Amino acid sequence: MEIGIRILIVFLVSQVVHIGAQKEGEEGCVPGFQVKEYQVEYNGGFQKDNPLMKVFFDDCAGNEGLAFEVSHPNFQVDQEMNLVARRDVMDSGTVMFIHGVNEHADDMAQVDIVGAPPRSPQTLREILGLGQIQPYRSKRALFAPRMHVNENMEPPFPKVIGTVMSPGMENDHIFHMTGSGADQDPKGVFTINRVTGEVSVSQELDREAISSYTLEVSVTDLSGKLVEGPVALLVDVNDQNDNRPIFKETRYAGEVLEGSPTGTVVMTMTAEDADDPRLQNAVLRYNIVRQSPDKPSPNMFYINPESGNIVTVISPTLLDRETLPTTQYELEIVAQDMKGRDVGLTGTATATITITDKNDHAPEFTHSLFQANVDEGSTGVAVNLTVDDRDDPATGAWRAIYSIINGDPTQNFEIQTNPDNNEGMLSVVKPLDYESVVFHTLLIKVENEDPLVPDVGYGSSSTATVHITVLDVNEGPVFFPDPLQVTKMENIPLGSFVALLNATDPDVLQSQSIRFAVLRDPANWLSVNPVRGTVNTSANLDRESPYVHDNKYTAIFMATDNGSRPASGTGTLVIHLEDYNDNAPYVHPSVVRVCEDTKDSVVIVGGRDRDIHPNAGPFKIELGKQPGLEKTWKVSRVNNTHAQIMLLQSMKRANYQLPLVVTDSGLPPLSNSTEIKVQVCTCKKNRMDCSSAGSVRSNLMMLLALVLLSLFCL
């Protein structure tokens, strides 16, 4: 019994110290009994269900699942936190303890009963309140109540934060504590008095680094033999408001469309606070402390203190991008914890809000009439049309689209937007003719890329008139037809008429003469009369000339007027040349090979002609008129263009010149007496050996020389 009373005294002392430690530097909510000592008067006993007093307990999280246990079995704490007797009680004793516990808090309070006689017997288990609260703590002898310690406590250290008790503690028993924060990293944060069970913190703590510690406490004898435990000891680090709100970014950007209704959400500002989110230390409130510029109102925007949403306050009429002093507003936003109370810490960020444009202004021409002069026959930009648009440049609400809505039936004009300055570039795309139309009147319309807002339309200023005056220019003569095509026979006599050039001057309002000249005559075959424009031959027209392509010869002529600044034009003459039989045919190939064995001595040759049908094939190929050839060679027709040459008898391996006559089909036909070289070769196993074949004509000449030499010697 003495040991139990000693433990009780130590426990009560430790609780008093613990209460002092909690109050030291406390600014937020501390889970547990908010009042730890109570007194009630004893007036001869307590009646059933009659409230004695009210206890104050707050787990800082709503007290959900909170349960109480009273050390005296005849008392309880009801749902309104009143201490009441379960039945009429006379033997209450002079002190009792109330144990409150849930998942967020575990704490004890003492109730002193003034004037009551001592209760007997009274067990230590009853004094310590170790009853039947099963969900949170089972029955055990070693008791380690949940402890709390404030972060950022100031020295000196160590400071006692609570006491672990054992009802079976004896003189040779000692307490041990293990776990992270004791004998494991971070080591030495907490220590336990081995005799009294007092738990102390030895250094300043940071809840944002470690918010709670789970330790184990046990009791051993002096030899180290385990007597009780181990049991868990939970130590919660109470938060202090030591972290100011921090915005994720220092500068935020948002935009709102001009004319937006009041209350339009522009953007959301978000800050974070590292303190305990369950406490007001991390409950933030937002506020706008500065707006720049402050025109037309210093309170154009409002920020929701809790959500951080920035919304418009200014009326839609005043939120006009074109009349505001600027299109960007800068807001200085402050986030403050402690629900925005003056004691709260603050963090600052900047929000830049851009007033974006909507197409509420139609483009307008700077002039209702534009004028320009254009030389006839020219193309390119004639005039630049300028417009005003009050909307945001470089947006679809500002960019202009021009169109010609009247005055261009032949589509001589085109208008495009200059991307640099939004001007309309009116261009001539088909040359204008002064002699046809001198004045052109165009109606031009301008619109935006983006559609206008419903209550805005295009007015008369969105159209303009353009007067184009065509200036007369001395134009060069024009050939007709161009090209001029004629057909002539080749080899016609020199000076023959070829064509008559026809060129007219477009300047019909002026009386001007035209002179002709040859500009390009590749073969120098032609001449032209400078006044009449008649073209005659100055050389033979040769269809087979390299200057003739696909039977066509092309020459270019120039016609020049006699204006003050003479102008010229060019025309093309194409002569289609008809073929004349002026080229004799020939045999191809000019060298052939036959085998000395007459069985395989057949070759094919063909006729060729630089002329064309009907002055070319069919060709007639036959032996020359030398006597005796028909005994050795035979030529027979294969088709209209080829003939077969056959060796009729075996001949020595040598080279022979075979005379042939080839005739075309022209009127009159042309013949050509020619020779082909026939190599008589040795043929074996599909191989033809012609290496030692010599010319028969050369051998005969050598033989004749030897005969003459012998005669001379005789």
Side-chain angles (χ1 to χ4, degrees), residues 383-424:
V383 61
N384 290 309
L385 310 182
T386 54
V387 295
D388 284 334
D389 196 317
R390 297 171 62 191
D391 291 313
D392 186 11
T395 65
W398 177 81
R399 287 190 291 269
I401 299 177
Y402 298 87
S403 58
I404 303 172
I405 60 176
N406 195 14
D408 187 25
T410 55
Q411 297 181 340
N412 291 90
F413 299 92
E414 178 182 270
I415 188 165
Q416 295 180 337
T417 304
N418 187 325
D420 297 327
N421 53 24
N422 215 31
E423 294 180 354

Side-chain angles (χ1 to χ4, degrees), residues 161 515 602:
I161 62 173
R515 294 184 66 84
V602 176

